Amino acid sequence: MAEDISLAYNSEETIISKANFSVSSGDFVFITGASGSGKSTLLRSFYGALRPENGSLVVGGVEVNNITNARLNFLRRHIGIVFQDYKLIKDWNIEKNVALPLLINGYAKDISDIQVDKLLNHVKLSHKKEKYPQELSGGEQQRVAMARALAHNPILILADEPTGNLDDYSSRLIWNLLEGANTQLKATVVIVTHHIPEDLGVSYKHFNIEGGTVYEIS
Amino acid sequence: MRSVKNHLSLIIALFTIVFTMQVYIVIERTVSAYEKDLNKNYSIVVVTKKSVKPEALVAISPTILAAEELSTKKVLEHLQSQMKQRHIDLLKLALPHFYSLHLNHYPTPDEIVSLRKKLQQNQNITRIEDFSKSHDTIYKLLLLYKSISILFAIGIFAVTSLLILKEMRIWQFQHNERMSIMAMFGAPVWMRSAVLFRLSIVDAIIASILAVGTFAYADFIHIGSEQLHEIGIDVLVFDTLNDSLLIFGVALSLSIILAILIVIGHKEEV
């Protein structure tokens, strides 16, 4: 829930101004807006990479404005993030990249292995688990990032343009996984995108950002 | 292959640093051994009218380590064939006493002047021979060696600093992204830095093993020590226990400091 939050990278240039909106647990949310409107900035504030200048932002019951590093780490362990540029660890193979949140959350190796295998199977990349990110196409890397975001069954999934540069096959696979996370795992899903797919199988909330203001589109 | 590449840059930097450090240690030991050797062969000769106890001469200056009377017996024996016994007996009575003064370190020219003044204050001493001319030349040579070794140390420091700075930039580039990604998934600082510390410790151990191996082998086949022995300097090129510990210590400390600097300097991507 956000109350009067303003976001800025430096105090002179405000990107989001006095935004008020609410997202409930289990919601499927789209945030749209023109390029540079502040969609990604808003998403970053959800995982504490950017703190609001003022107002109050509560994520998963935790106010992130003045959150301590330890509490922020704890919050992030319950969030799965998908970045537009994938952000895979280059010197780790695919299997290890997907296992990252499980490692951070202290999962036992055998349980982690089973979960990673299952997810790689879901994203159709089981045969490439020994490969390194650079050896995969953009679509494949995004599927790996998706598998990593889902690995620890997060309560909140944040995705920044998850299908921005992908072919139809990879895009469909990503949407299916996001829908599945929402319907089966009951995770709240927040997606920043330019384009909302027409054949989506879930009901959703839609926020649009224009001129630094966040509007809900019903 | 990827793993080897990741390790190689730091291993090379650390190996260069500990290798040059050990070379500097050997140079220092050589100069020090040369200085000791000079001191062993250097003494001041004083002539006294009456017989003096060596302890009394040692008490003149703390620089004097020991004093011993030089026997005149051999000179007199040599003269016995050319002189009558009566003249020899007279000579014995008139002959002054000679003492050789050994010092506790190889003195500087100023120390020799100061010591000479102190000795001259003793009424009993009639003559002092400090061999200052030859001492001066040798001392200048020693100073030259020392200056070279200091210049070498400064060179090592400069090269080391450059290597570490270069390595820091590479490491920051290599590890920042991974640390940021791990942070975004809630990894605590120790976990984000664990890979970095593990890498730095492993690399330090590998670099140390390579350096220790190189010097142990050089010592085994007597590289350096033989040449030094030929010019009268016996020096330990590689002290297996102490030098190995020093090499391991320096390599580990440097790589851990490097890792700590990177962890401190890490800024999360926004």
Side-chain angles (χ1 to χ4, degrees):
Chain A
M1 194 172 79
E3 273 180 30
D4 286 335
I5 62 159
S6 296
L7 298 170
Y9 286 107
N10 57 55
S11 51
E12 286 169 15
E13 195 186 346
T14 303
I15 295 164
I16 301 285
S17 178
K18 296 199 172 204
N20 286 284
F21 57 87
S22 176
V23 174
S24 304
S25 175
D27 278 354
F28 199 98
V29 180
F30 283 104
I31 300 170
T32 57
S35 294
S37 59
K39 305 185 294 291
S40 299
T41 305
L42 184 62
L43 198 76
R44 283 183 192 121
S45 71
F46 294 162
Y47 60 90
L50 189 68
R51 310 284 173 94
E53 296 277 295
N54 44 48
S56 165
L57 178 65
V58 178
V59 179
V62 181
E63 183 160 4
V64 297
N65 296 51
N66 300 307
I67 195 170
T68 61
N69 285 339
R71 294 260 299 163
L72 182 63
N73 284 339
F74 182 77
L75 174 67
R76 286 177 176 182
R77 278 175 225 152
H78 296 90
I79 300 175
I81 315 173
V82 183
F83 302 93
Q84 192 179 6
D85 58 351
Y86 329 127
K87 292 208 187 299
L88 299 174
I89 297 174
K90 291 185 183 72
D91 50 358
W92 286 12
N93 66 17
I94 299 314
E95 192 178 22
K96 207 172 167 190
N97 265 290
V98 175
L100 174 68
L102 302 168
L103 175 79
I104 292 169
N105 281 281
Y107 279 67
K109 178 87 170 69
D110 51 348
I111 296 171
S112 171
D113 287 348
I114 294 167
Q115 178 75 340
V116 170
D117 283 346
K118 194 177 89 181
L119 283 160
L120 284 175
N121 198 33
H122 273 308
V123 295
K124 319 281 183 218
L125 286 170
S126 296
H127 59 296
K128 292 194 173 178
K129 65 179 184 181
E130 299 295 334
K131 301 262 183 199
Y132 286 86
Q134 305 88 295
E135 298 170 301
L136 267 56
S137 70
E140 287 172 329
Q141 287 189 55
Q142 191 62 301
R143 277 146 60 192
V144 173
M146 193 67 228
R148 180 181 64 182
L150 297 173
H152 52 308
N153 297 329
I155 56 166
L156 173 63
I157 296 168
L158 304 172
D160 190 359
E161 306 265 13
T163 58
N165 308 311
L166 306 187
D167 56 74
D168 289 347
Y169 173 75
S170 291
S171 294
R172 191 60 257 164
L173 211 59
I174 298 287
W175 287 122
N176 285 345
L177 286 164
L178 288 168
E179 285 173 34
N182 181 247
T183 54
Q184 289 158 34
L185 302 174
K186 307 293 176 204
T188 308
V189 178
V190 180
I191 302 160
V192 161
T193 187
H194 281 291
H195 172 71
I196 300 173
E198 288 168 3
D199 55 347
L200 204 68
V202 290
S203 56
Y204 59 86
K205 269 187 173 178
H206 179 193
F207 294 102
N208 188 55
I209 303 175
E210 206 177 309
T213 309
V214 181
Y215 304 95
E216 182 169 0
I217 297 171
S218 48
Chain B
M1 193 62 198
R2 172 180 301 277
S3 170
V4 172
K5 267 186 189 171
N6 283 346
H7 285 272
L8 214 56
S9 56
L10 185 65
I11 291 171
I12 291 169
L14 284 174
F15 175 77
T16 312
I17 290 163
V18 288
F19 183 87
T20 34
M21 179 194 75
Q22 184 61 27
V23 171
Y24 174 70
I25 288 170
V26 174
I27 291 174
E28 268 293 299
R29 276 186 197 145
T30 310
V31 172
S32 172
Y34 177 62
E35 193 173 358
K36 271 185 193 159
D37 196 48
L38 286 178
N39 190 41
K40 204 167 68 184
N41 297 325
Y42 178 77
S43 62
I44 292 174
V45 174
V46 292
V47 183
T48 61
K49 285 183 271 187
K50 296 174 197 166
S51 172
V52 182
K53 280 187 175 176
E55 295 82 28
L57 291 171
V58 171
I60 291 173
S61 166
T63 317
I64 303 168
L65 182 71
E68 63 171 323
E69 186 164 6
L70 300 171
S71 172
T72 51
K73 216 174 173 180
K74 274 191 179 172
V75 182
L76 292 172
E77 274 172 7
H78 182 70
L79 293 172
Q80 247 167 359
S81 56
Q82 298 158 34
M83 291 171 81
K84 288 178 182 170
Q85 187 55 43
R86 194 164 58 89
H87 291 146
I88 297 278
D89 289 341
L90 273 173
L91 188 63
K92 259 186 194 175
L93 284 172
L95 206 61
H97 298 268
F98 299 89
Y99 294 90
S100 169
L101 306 181
H102 297 281
L103 309 183
N104 54 19
H105 66 275
Y106 194 64
T108 63
D110 288 344
E111 280 175 324
I112 292 178
V113 172
S114 160
L115 188 60
R116 192 182 179 89
K117 276 181 187 165
K118 280 182 185 170
L119 291 169
Q120 279 169 339
Q121 281 167 6
N122 191 310
Q123 301 293 319
N124 208 8
I125 297 172
T126 54
R127 195 176 158 81
I128 302 159
E129 181 51 75
D130 54 20
F131 309 102
S132 58
K133 202 174 175 184
S134 67
H135 168 276
D136 202 40
T137 313
I138 293 165
Y139 191 78
K140 276 177 184 162
L141 199 62
L142 181 70
L143 277 185
L144 180 72
Y145 288 153
K146 281 190 168 177
S147 305
I148 290 169
S149 78
I150 288 166
L151 276 174
F152 189 68
I154 293 168
I156 290 171
F157 181 75
V159 170
T160 306
S161 307
L162 285 173
L163 276 171
I164 287 178
L165 280 174
K166 183 179 167 282
E167 204 50 43
M168 248 189 84
R169 284 203 194 106
I170 295 169
W171 270 39
Q172 259 170 346
F173 180 75
Q174 277 182 345
H175 298 284
N176 255 358
E177 193 183 21
R178 188 191 56 241
M179 285 166 78
S180 291
I181 293 168
M182 290 179 87
M184 283 173 207
F185 283 89
V189 174
W190 69 263
M191 193 184 274
R192 284 177 238 166
S193 332
V195 179
L196 196 62
F197 280 99
R198 200 183 60 216
L199 261 175
S200 57
I201 289 168
V202 168
D203 291 0
I205 291 170
I206 294 171
S208 305
I209 290 171
L210 287 174
V212 167
T214 307
F215 280 98
Y217 182 69
D219 193 42
F220 179 69
I221 59 167
H222 306 297
I223 289 182
S225 56
E226 237 169 40
Q227 288 86 339
L228 288 168
H229 180 74
E230 278 168 19
I231 55 167
I233 297 170
D234 284 313
V235 69
L236 200 57
V237 170
F238 189 68
D239 179 347
T240 314
L241 181 68
N242 292 326
D243 289 355
S244 301
L245 284 176
L246 185 70
I247 286 171
F248 272 100
V250 168
L252 267 176
S253 310
L254 278 174
S255 59
I256 287 171
I257 288 169
L258 193 64
I260 290 170
L261 286 174
I262 287 164
V263 171
I264 291 170
H266 168 73
K267 282 197 172 64
E268 198 179 318
E269 280 178 36
V270 178

